Amino acid sequence: MTKPAARRTAAAALMLAPALAPACAAAQPAHDRAARASWSAPAARPGHGAFRPGASGLGDPYYPSAGNGGYDVSHYDIALTYRPRDHGLAATTRITATATQDLSAFDLDFAGNRIGSVTVDGASAAYRRSGQELVVTPKKGLPKGAAFTVAVTYAGRPQTSKDPDLGRTGWIPTRDGVATLSQPFGSATWFPLNDHPADKATFAYRITVPKGLAVVANGEPGGTERHGSATTFRWSSDRPMAGYLAMIAIGRFAVLDGHTPGGVRSVSAYDPAVPGDVKGLQRITGEVTDWARGLFGPYPFASTGGVVDDESVGYALETQNRPTYPGGVTRVLAVHELAHQWFGDSVSIRQWKDIWLNEGFATYAEWLWHERHGGASAAYTFRQAYERVPGDPVWKIRPADPGRAHLFDYFPVYLRGAMTLHALRTAVGDRAFFAILRGWAGQHAYGNAGTADFVRYAEQVSGKRLGGLFQAWLSTPAKPPMPARLG
Ligand SMILES: [Zn+2]
């Protein structure tokens, strides 16, 4: 993610550093605050062992009720009709999942909208809502290991989440349609899901809009069908994706479907009301995607691209395959969001406190871009950031555990995260450092990884003991010593 204040070159951002430390940054999603009604498990069914409800959360220390336990989603199929009159929707989301315990009931994360029906394997299921938890009780228990499909039919005008620092998340009305930007928990405003990056799944969308509007989404386009004055756009992705990266953009768009100069399919969309054009977006996307492949390894998805929507979306986000940019794009912004395709989207965090593995890497990619395109060296950018006096309270926030209120703070997470990578580079040298970046993206492609995994991997590749360096840079609430080459 790049917040508006961070949407500048790294050097400019550094000069403005004091303004980039908002007092409290992170979204505090309603579902996390919602008190969860206590309830007792239904009695075990004879012959089925102890069928119990799945947990209402995945145990993330910052957001204990985010995501749900007892099952693992493999696929979301979202069929949605957009209603321009009030930016509303009518939809059915089908979720294919596997029970990871004997399940008597399970939760989905879902906010707002009116539910018409819930079925499990085609049979209607009982449900009730408790804050952002949708509790589903199927007619029969689901044995551990069983695949099942839950379908939720709903309609309404999704409630956009608003955060004083991050801006709007979830279903965001634009001048001519809707965009979805959902980090960390906006997706539950427009479809029911297991809302935690630890449960990644493939996606298919069938989005129906009135004539004149177009739809862009994650994955690759699967063609359109006309029904009278409406058109259904199909998009799908067969690579796993964290729920917060799910993106549909509805509106008037100029669309280009081509390839980067290096041969990666690239699909971009541009709101014609915004200065600039889709050709420029494709050119920047191609340049940056190919440059990043040279550094980070094979592009992890079947297509790249971008969406430029009007500035009312507020901030850029690394929505999978094609980042969303508000009101235009610059190369450096594209570098940040496209670097996330490797770091954040393909390799996803295990828990939200690992967020520096996304933002520190995307920010360091900006430094590398400048360094390799005639701008400031990464060493210079590092020194600019490192100049902050030791007593400055921003050093107290630890990148590997910034606290929920500081999850998206620019200095401790983005800049100190990037400084950590530069400290690693200084300690192990360029050859080992770039092997670590590339190998990390490959080793954990399409999966999840945390800070401890990264420390282990960096030690393994470099053959050096790096515990002290990472302890100082990631887990100590003080300014770390200037890094030096390790012998
Ligand atoms: Zn970012």
Side-chain angles (χ1 to χ4, degrees):
M1 174 196 281
T2 305
K3 290 185 279 180
R7 218 180 331 116
R8 331 164 191 247
T9 64
L14 288 167
M15 289 189 292
L16 295 167
L20 292 171
C24 173
Q28 308 228 334
H31 86 284
D32 200 59
R33 294 194 299 263
R36 182 166 159 74
S38 63
W39 65 310
S40 53
R45 288 166 187 275
H48 283 81
F51 278 64
R52 288 173 298 106
S56 63
L58 276 172
D60 189 291
Y62 290 179
Y63 302 100
S65 65
N68 309 286
Y71 64 94
D72 183 69
V73 177
S74 57
H75 185 67
Y76 293 94
D77 180 300
I78 301 171
L80 182 152
T81 299
Y82 171 60
R83 195 171 60 200
R85 176 167 49 82
D86 63 346
H87 296 293
L89 58 77
T92 297
T93 293
R94 284 186 179 74
I95 302 167
T96 309
T98 301
T100 55
Q101 65 174 65
D102 288 340
L103 269 182
S104 58
F106 59 89
D107 284 19
L108 296 168
D109 300 305
F110 192 44
N113 302 290
R114 280 187 324 280
I115 294 176
S117 69
V118 178
T119 64
V120 175
D121 292 332
S124 69
Y127 64 91
R128 65 184 179 81
R129 306 186 77 169
S130 171
Q132 262 184 241
E133 303 290 321
L134 168 60
V135 184
V136 178
T137 306
K139 282 209 169 79
K140 285 198 313 197
L142 301 162
K144 181 177 178 179
F148 65 96
T149 301
V150 52
V152 182
T153 297
Y154 53 98
R157 188 190 181 291
Q159 295 296 305
T160 309
S161 312
K162 287 196 183 70
D163 179 273
D165 181 57
L166 289 182
R168 298 182 299 170
T169 61
W171 180 265
I172 301 174
T174 60
R175 277 200 295 261
D176 55 4
V178 161
T180 66
L181 293 180
S182 301
Q183 192 181 38
F185 298 114
S187 287
T189 63
W190 62 283
F191 69 99
L193 76 158
N194 193 14
D195 202 0
H196 193 279
D199 190 0
K200 299 169 74 167
T202 56
F203 276 71
Y205 308 94
R206 282 169 290 151
I207 312 293
T208 302
V209 294
K211 194 175 164 188
L213 295 183
V215 181
V216 192
N218 310 106
E220 291 72 50
T224 58
E225 290 158 32
R226 289 290 297 275
H227 325 268
S229 63
T231 309
T232 299
F233 290 75
R234 291 172 182 270
W235 289 78
S236 63
S237 174
D238 61 1
R239 310 289 161 92
M241 179 166 76
Y244 75 88
L245 297 168
M247 178 275 289
I248 60 172
I250 298 171
R252 277 180 279 281
F253 287 109
V255 178
L256 268 185
D257 185 351
H259 289 85
T260 70
V264 178
R265 186 177 182 183
S266 182
V267 186
S268 291
Y270 209 97
D271 182 335
V274 173
D277 63 32
V278 69
K279 282 187 187 156
L281 172 61
Q282 274 285 75
R283 193 170 52 247
I284 288 173
T285 299
E287 231 176 273
V288 172
T289 300
D290 287 345
W291 172 78
R293 289 164 65 216
L295 276 178
F296 308 141
Y299 183 74
F301 306 118
S303 65
T304 182
V307 179
V308 168
D309 211 330
D310 67 56
E311 67 284 348
S312 64
V313 300
Y315 53 94
L317 188 65
E318 63 269 24
T319 42
Q320 192 155 306
N321 298 96
R322 48 197 53 81
T324 307
Y325 307 105
V329 65
T330 63
R331 273 179 184 72
V332 173
L333 184 57
V335 166
H336 182 102
E337 306 305 343
L338 287 168
H340 274 310
Q341 302 302 310
W342 284 261
F343 307 112
D345 294 9
S346 171
V347 183
S348 297
I349 52 178
R350 281 194 199 287
Q351 297 185 322
W352 280 105
K353 68 178 187 176
D354 298 323
I355 192 70
W356 83 275
L357 288 170
N358 295 5
E359 302 304 347
F361 281 59
T363 303
Y364 198 68
E366 298 175 37
W367 297 12
L368 291 173
W369 173 270
H370 288 299
E371 177 170 275
R372 297 188 174 210
H373 292 82
S377 66
Y380 177 84
T381 312
F382 172 89
R383 282 196 302 274
Q384 294 281 300
Y386 189 74
E387 269 174 13
R388 296 195 64 150
V389 296
D392 192 316
V394 292
W395 292 113
K396 288 212 167 82
I397 301 167
R398 299 166 298 166
D401 192 3
R404 185 166 122 166
H406 301 287
L407 204 49
F408 296 103
D409 279 13
Y410 191 65
F411 186 88
V413 175
Y414 290 64
L415 274 187
R416 188 164 163 182
M419 281 190 270
T420 300
L421 291 176
H422 193 75
L424 172 65
R425 181 178 170 184
T426 307
V428 302
D430 275 15
R431 181 195 279 267
F433 175 73
F434 287 104
I436 290 166
L437 279 192
R438 199 181 172 96
W440 174 249
Q443 183 165 71
H444 294 283
Y446 313 119
N448 295 84
T451 297
D453 301 310
F454 183 69
V455 172
R456 251 195 317 275
Y457 185 72
E459 288 191 329
Q460 183 193 319
V461 173
S462 68
K464 296 190 190 302
R465 294 171 68 92
L466 299 167
L469 179 143
F470 284 117
Q471 175 66 34
W473 277 95
L474 294 174
S475 303
T476 302
K479 182 171 179 173
M482 189 75 178
R485 179 75 189 247
L486 292 175

